[in-house]
Amino acid sequence: MSDFDDLLREAQQRPLTGWDLSCDGRIVTTPAPWQFEAEVDRLARRSPDLLDMGTGGGEWLSQLPHRPARTVATEGWAPNVGIARERLAPLGIEVVEVEGADDNALQADDGSAQPRLPFGDASFHLVVNRHESFAAREVQRILMPGGHFLTQQVASDFNAGFHALLGLPWTEPPRWQLDTATAQLARAGLRVLQGEEGAERLRFADVGAFAWYLLQVPYVCPDFRIDTCRAALARLHARIAQGEPLEVRQALFRLVAMRP
């Protein structure tokens, strides 16, 4: 399929199942400059348990090389809960539906208004979080003393490149970067051991995959509509036809923290 109108029509009709945003390989995400999965795997092999916060459809967790005997996942988006349970239950992993935390950048300093996780104090030795908002005080509460929290986050300016490609105005959102996340964890009583900034690149094979992605992840570009952005999409389609790649840089950071 290469016709412009057909690509956009498919983008509007194609469903999303779970949290697989590859669009059958038409969207490729380059690796971050660190090996998050390898670090999780290293700690998981020494831990009796693991909690994966915001598992999506369980795609990433199901492929983790090693999972402790007690591995639990949470998910806050109702359509994904059943998908995650179907994928993870055969692996012996419980999926717990939770109320998600507010975006970290919007939380009050003490995090007191955030939902409580349905786990007892000091329930886990290892808590992992990929691109999910979290209440730092709740993470601290459910961690065992000496337990680790690993998170990879998208920075607050992650979507600026999408707006630029579409010629849409971009307003800087509340700041969520490595330093603000570090401070939030420290206020909750966690000791930050490592922090690193980097980026990944999203490469789109065609303008249909690009439009589909923005429709499925509306917080990336809330003003995106195929009809109102049609001229910009046509320009991007022409660029691809001329051999110019369509890709967006997305700022990331990672943190490793421990409960003293």
Side-chain angles (χ1 to χ4, degrees):
M1 180 182 295
S2 59
D3 179 77
F4 179 65
D5 290 324
D6 287 344
L7 286 169
L8 295 187
R9 188 177 304 111
E10 185 220 12
Q12 292 175 300
Q13 297 173 351
R14 184 187 183 95
L16 172 65
T17 302
W19 201 237
D20 179 3
L21 292 169
S22 66
C23 199
D24 291 337
R26 291 157 60 193
I27 303 173
V28 176
T29 304
T30 63
W34 48 76
Q35 294 184 318
F36 185 81
E37 183 178 290
E39 180 68 5
V40 171
D41 182 65
R42 183 181 70 82
L43 290 173
R45 291 179 186 277
R46 296 165 18 198
S47 177
D49 50 59
L50 180 153
L51 173 65
D52 180 30
M53 298 180 67
T55 197
E59 297 87 353
W60 179 83
L61 183 58
S62 68
Q63 298 176 38
L64 195 65
H66 176 82
R67 293 177 299 272
R70 178 179 175 240
T71 296
V72 181
T74 64
E75 177 55 33
W77 193 49
N80 269 344
V81 173
I83 296 169
R85 285 174 175 162
E86 184 177 354
R87 176 176 280 116
L88 298 177
L91 303 177
I93 300 171
E94 180 186 9
V95 177
V96 180
E97 186 171 6
V98 298
E99 181 182 354
D102 295 336
D103 287 348
N104 284 80
L106 302 178
Q107 294 179 23
D109 284 349
D110 63 0
S112 58
Q114 298 309 303
R116 186 178 175 89
L117 290 169
F119 306 110
D121 297 353
S123 293
F124 294 96
H125 294 76
L126 178 59
V127 177
V128 176
N129 177 304
R130 296 175 66 254
H131 303 183
E132 179 82 353
S133 59
F134 59 89
R137 288 190 182 278
E138 277 297 282
V139 172
Q140 188 272 351
R141 181 184 66 79
I142 67 172
L143 268 178
M144 290 280 294
H148 288 82
F149 175 57
L150 279 69
T151 184
Q152 177 174 292
Q153 296 281 313
V154 291
S156 50
D157 58 352
F158 77 99
N159 57 356
F162 288 95
H163 287 73
L165 282 173
L166 293 166
L168 293 173
W170 181 76
T171 302
E172 187 169 357
R175 196 168 186 277
W176 180 238
Q177 304 284 348
L178 178 63
D179 58 346
T180 51
T182 298
Q184 202 170 91
L185 291 172
R187 284 195 298 270
L190 293 168
R191 181 188 303 160
V192 175
L193 305 177
Q194 297 178 28
E196 187 175 355
E197 294 177 307
E200 61 187 9
R201 291 186 179 274
L202 279 65
R203 296 174 178 164
F204 300 89
D206 55 72
V207 75
F210 180 77
W212 176 83
Y213 179 87
L214 292 177
L215 291 173
Q216 301 305 322
V217 195
Y219 58 81
V220 172
C221 194
D223 294 332
F224 175 75
R225 305 288 185 277
I226 284 181
D227 53 350
T228 58
C229 295
R230 190 176 182 84
L233 293 170
R235 288 194 297 271
L236 296 175
H237 181 66
R239 280 174 46 176
I240 296 170
Q242 294 167 6
E244 186 176 345
L246 177 58
E247 66 176 32
V248 180
R249 180 183 183 275
Q250 186 163 269
L252 304 172
F253 61 87
R254 74 173 184 102
L255 284 162
V256 180
M258 181 184 74
R259 178 178 175 180

